[in-house]
Amino acid sequence: MNRRLRYLVFGLGAAGLAVLFALALAGLPGFGGDSHPYRDRAVHAALAHRTANVVSSINFDQRALDTFGEELILLGSVVGAAALLRPSRRESERPAPDPEARAVPDSVVLLCTVMLPVTVLVGLDVIAHGHLTPGGGFQGGVVLATGLHLLFLGGRYPALQRIRPLAGYQFAESIGVATFATPGLAGLAAGGAFLANVLPYGQFASLASAGTVPVLSLAVGVAVGGGVVVLLAQFLEQALRYSGER
Amino acid sequence: MQVFAYAVGGWLVLVGAAGIVRSHHLVHTVVSLSVAQAGTYVFLLAVGFQWNAVAPVFSTSADTHRAVVDPVVQALTLTDIVVSATVTALLLALAVQIQKRHGTVDPDELRALKG
């Protein structure tokens, strides 16, 4: 199909979609109105389980099964990317670059060194308080994993490799996914439903509240942190250690 | 004016799709897909918005009667972002693999399947 024909087909499709979308918008409730039936029910259910962050309550309590599926999607994607990016036999390993060759400004190195512990701390905080303040396992896990890569931005890939024993992070990811399933099975045994919130709810807005929500959030944080580190490691290895076909 | 937020979402989806159609580079294609997916985030959040409502996170049990924006669509958006990130990672890995096998990242130059 040549480009002109492709643009024509796309133009027709896009115009049709735009018209249908405009018609659909005309039938929507007004923007910013106060009729949100799902909101009312979700907030009610979250407060019944003494969860201060309603979004976390939906993710890790009311619709925890969906989050479990999402975890498995993440796991599948990491496995898939690792399989796609493994070096082929035709590739040769590039000699390790001279550490002096890649000059990084001292200011960048300083900033990365200062920000590394701060970012890791913020990531842990976001995971630990996911049921109380905005955040949760997904967000905190990504902050943690990207925080570790500040070492790479600071120009010290060998240092990153030292604090990143890949097998450990692969283990962390699998253990995170498995830990997510464990309270789920406990819920099946005690509450009669997979991922039922069976732990005591505790006091509203305190660290030990919301039952299984912080446990699942922690499990997701470990899994996402491990998964993102493993994922980024595949791309970095591919870019830094292997040259193209020779 | 009220439909502006919805329209931005729809426009982003269409612009992202246009980017995919016009793409000459597979990384550009993947980024265009991310733009199209960003349209769904804007649309979902716009659906849940309410004037003068606060974020669906309570700090004390005293303020639980306040109006909040819809947390259900926010949770959906979070799911959306996670899935989008994983899809992006997989597609970029595929782009790397295509560059290795075919020596090109222009979708128009990829003609035949090759083992």
Side-chain angles (χ1 to χ4, degrees):
Chain A
M1 199 192 293
N2 64 27
R3 291 195 87 82
R4 186 180 295 269
L5 182 60
R6 193 198 302 171
Y7 291 163
L8 187 69
V9 171
F10 172 75
L12 286 175
L17 181 65
V19 169
L20 289 177
F21 187 69
L23 286 176
L25 284 190
L28 272 182
F31 176 72
D34 57 1
S35 164
H36 292 285
Y38 290 116
R39 185 261 322 260
D40 301 338
R41 284 162 177 78
V43 169
H44 182 77
L47 293 179
H49 286 183
R50 293 189 210 132
T51 313
N53 182 350
V54 186
V55 180
S56 281
S57 170
I58 293 170
N59 272 325
F60 299 117
D61 186 2
Q62 300 170 32
R63 298 301 311 162
L65 186 63
D66 296 351
T67 305
F68 189 49
E70 202 178 335
E71 277 282 276
L72 295 179
I73 290 176
L74 183 75
L75 184 68
S77 150
V78 171
V79 171
L84 281 170
L85 289 172
R86 70 189 189 284
S88 70
R89 254 167 291 154
R90 279 181 289 179
E91 286 175 298
S92 52
E93 195 164 330
R94 191 184 290 176
D98 183 12
E100 301 299 318
R102 197 163 146 259
V104 176
D106 287 344
S107 53
V108 175
V109 176
L110 177 69
L111 193 65
C112 291
T113 315
V114 173
M115 288 310 286
L116 173 68
V118 176
T119 317
V120 170
L121 208 60
V122 168
L124 290 175
D125 178 74
V126 168
I127 295 177
H129 295 106
H131 54 305
L132 303 175
T133 54
F138 285 106
Q139 299 91 324
V142 172
V143 172
L144 267 185
T146 42
L148 291 184
H149 287 84
L150 282 174
L151 270 180
F152 170 67
L153 284 187
R156 282 176 296 173
Y157 189 58
L160 176 63
Q161 282 175 312
R162 262 207 308 283
I163 62 158
R164 197 199 58 188
L166 263 191
Y169 287 94
Q170 284 162 350
F171 184 71
E173 193 196 0
S174 357
I175 210 79
V177 176
T179 312
F180 197 96
T182 313
L185 293 175
L188 197 59
F194 187 61
L195 287 164
N197 197 339
V198 289
L199 291 179
Y201 298 145
Q203 198 186 351
F204 185 77
S206 67
L207 190 59
S209 68
T212 53
V213 172
V215 180
L216 294 179
S217 176
L218 181 66
V220 167
V222 170
V224 169
V228 173
V229 166
V230 173
L231 199 59
L232 285 176
Q234 310 299 329
F235 282 102
L236 286 177
E237 286 279 293
Q238 186 65 236
L240 299 176
R241 298 222 6 230
Y242 295 98
S243 49
E245 288 176 31
R246 285 286 155 83
Chain B
M1 198 58 208
Q2 301 285 328
V3 299
F4 190 62
Y6 297 143
V8 167
W11 181 77
L12 279 173
V13 171
L14 285 179
V15 157
I20 295 173
V21 171
R22 289 172 47 82
S23 180
H24 281 288
H25 194 294
L26 283 175
V27 174
H28 174 265
T29 317
V30 177
V31 174
S32 300
L33 181 66
S34 300
V35 171
Q37 286 171 322
T40 61
Y41 314 152
V42 174
F43 187 77
L44 279 172
L45 294 178
V47 165
F49 181 74
Q50 178 179 344
W51 295 109
N52 300 321
V54 294
V57 180
F58 304 109
S59 49
T60 60
S61 46
D63 61 357
T64 50
H65 63 276
R66 292 192 61 179
V68 294
V69 296
D70 195 340
V72 178
V73 287
Q74 295 198 355
L76 283 177
T77 309
L78 178 61
T79 309
D80 202 351
I81 292 172
V82 173
V83 171
S84 163
T86 58
V87 167
T88 304
L90 260 191
L91 287 177
L92 286 176
L94 275 174
V96 169
Q97 199 68 2
I98 286 171
Q99 158 68 26
K100 276 199 242 165
R101 300 263 163 157
H102 295 265
T104 176
V105 282
D106 187 344
D108 283 343
E109 287 175 19
L110 297 170
R111 289 293 172 202
L113 288 173
K114 204 166 91 177

